[in-house]
Amino acid sequence: MSSSFRSAFGRFGCPAARSWHTFRHNMTVKPNRVCMISSASVTSSARTSIAVNHKLHRDINNISQTQRFFRTSQSVLSESQVINVPGFADSISEGDVKIDRQVGDVVQEDEVVCEIETDKTSVPVPAPFAGVIEEILVEDGDTVQPGQALFKLKPADGSADTSPKPAAAAPTPTPAAPVKSAPPPPAAAPTPSAPVSGSIPTTMPPVTPLPSGPMSMTPASEIRPIAVPEGRFSEAAEPIDARTETRVKMSRMRQRIAQRLKDAQNVCAMLTTFNEIDMTNIMEMRNMYKDEFFKKYGQKLGFMSAFVKASAFALQAQPVVNAVIDGNEVVYRDYIDISVAVSTPKGLVVPVLRDVGPMNFADVELGIAALGEKARTNDLAVEDMDGGTFTISNGGVFGSLIGTPIINPPQSAILGMHSIVKRPVAIGNNVEIRPMMYVALTYDHRLIDGREAVTFLRKVKSAVEDPRVILVNI
């Protein structure tokens, strides 16, 4: 870089910001390096500024040819990148990490490397690009926070194939030089008692001869056990009936579930009322329309849609069951969001089916199927489980005959469904065998009285036994 270039930018900043008189007074320009412009209208100061600008552009071009300020894209792409913990929902501040891969493993783009288990859900951490895990920066089971470094991922070479390669074939051994040896002896002819493998035997096997000595006449009661010599068995061997224990850390989701259930018992004044429902009509309706329903919607027609719609119908008739206590006030909700309890391998989750009031049976079935698929694939977000004004738990899928569900706080009631069992019931003056289901309603007695609870449950019973009552609104 020339002295004039350093002087122009070091002492005066940008020449365009200075007056031409000051710039011409401090800058020395050699005549042989000035680009002259022959024009009568151009002043001396203008000619000087044009010459300086011409020299500055030439010096900048010289620098750009001898020095590089940016690295190539190949060097950038070959560097390892640190993958951090993704952001959580506002109500979640930390989680426990579960590492699924090891250092040196080759991962593809969007392949899950580890999971962050929070109080409500598990957050998968996929690989943003294909590469090799170079280093894992946390231990399995550590508590991590958003933005914390998890592992280093080195991008895979574009020319290298990251797909698993088949095992190499064993090399063919090179035949050795022939060695002269004596001719082998002739093989012996097979005996009749030892047939050749694969042939059908033609003779009977030899019979074991009977013992020729006299048999022992000692009674069995006089026989004494023989002592085993010391050291015959290893002392370190565990006894067959050993009683062992295994301690496993409780997952964050299980801890949260346990805490919420215990809080519900400590806060709510829970009381449970029971009733039974005759499932004959709803089962006949299901058998009549299940094929057409599946053909139109691609989803099977189940019993949950009937109970969800019956619950929404009863909640509109008894709004106090849909209300909640907030301090010294009671909050009545004019919307119905029903939480459906779903059992997963990691614990019980309650995704919310929102705005159930205007839904029909098909909307309910499709909504429940979508939430169930998210739960099975571990794709439930925190937003899918927030809120909810009422909960339905179906223990009948596991064969439960009757039970008392626990309220899902801060809600005020929960409906428990159970298995369908054929029982003799009185129909008029006759005894008939009908498919019956016990239902249970657990409610917070601080807010809901027995009259409202029993009336609510009877409303659910009538709507399930005869769905036409929902149409005529009686």
Side-chain angles (χ1 to χ4, degrees), residues 6 45 76 112-113 153 165 198 204 214-215 229 279 287 305 434:
R6 287 194 301 268
S45 60
V76 173
V112 177
V113 178
L153 186 63
K165 299 179 177 58
M204 295 293 293
M215 299 180 64
M279 301 291 292
N287 293 332
S305 55
R434 294 291 185 94

Side-chain angles (χ1 to χ4, degrees), residues 409-425:
Q411 299 174 9
S412 300
I414 179 173
L415 176 67
M417 300 169 53
H418 300 91
S419 59
I420 301 174
V421 180
K422 291 185 177 181
R423 295 196 303 271
V425 293

Side-chain angles (χ1 to χ4, degrees), residues 409-453:
Q411 299 174 9
S412 300
I414 179 173
L415 176 67
M417 300 169 53
H418 300 91
S419 59
I420 301 174
V421 180
K422 291 185 177 181
R423 295 196 303 271
V425 293
I427 305 298
N429 295 327
N430 300 322
V431 177
E432 298 182 9
I433 304 299
R434 294 291 185 94
M436 306 297 294
M437 175 192 287
Y438 286 118
V439 290
L441 178 70
T442 300
Y443 58 95
D444 190 354
H445 210 346
R446 299 178 302 164
L447 176 63
I448 305 172
D449 294 331
R451 182 186 65 179
E452 286 82 5

Side-chain angles (χ1 to χ4, degrees), residues 16 37 151 251 269 288 348 432 440:
I37 299 178
F151 58 92
S251 64
M288 185 181 300
L348 185 69
E432 298 182 9

Side-chain angles (χ1 to χ4, degrees), residues 191-204:
T191 60
S193 60
V196 181
S197 176
S199 62
I200 300 176
T202 58
T203 59
M204 295 293 293

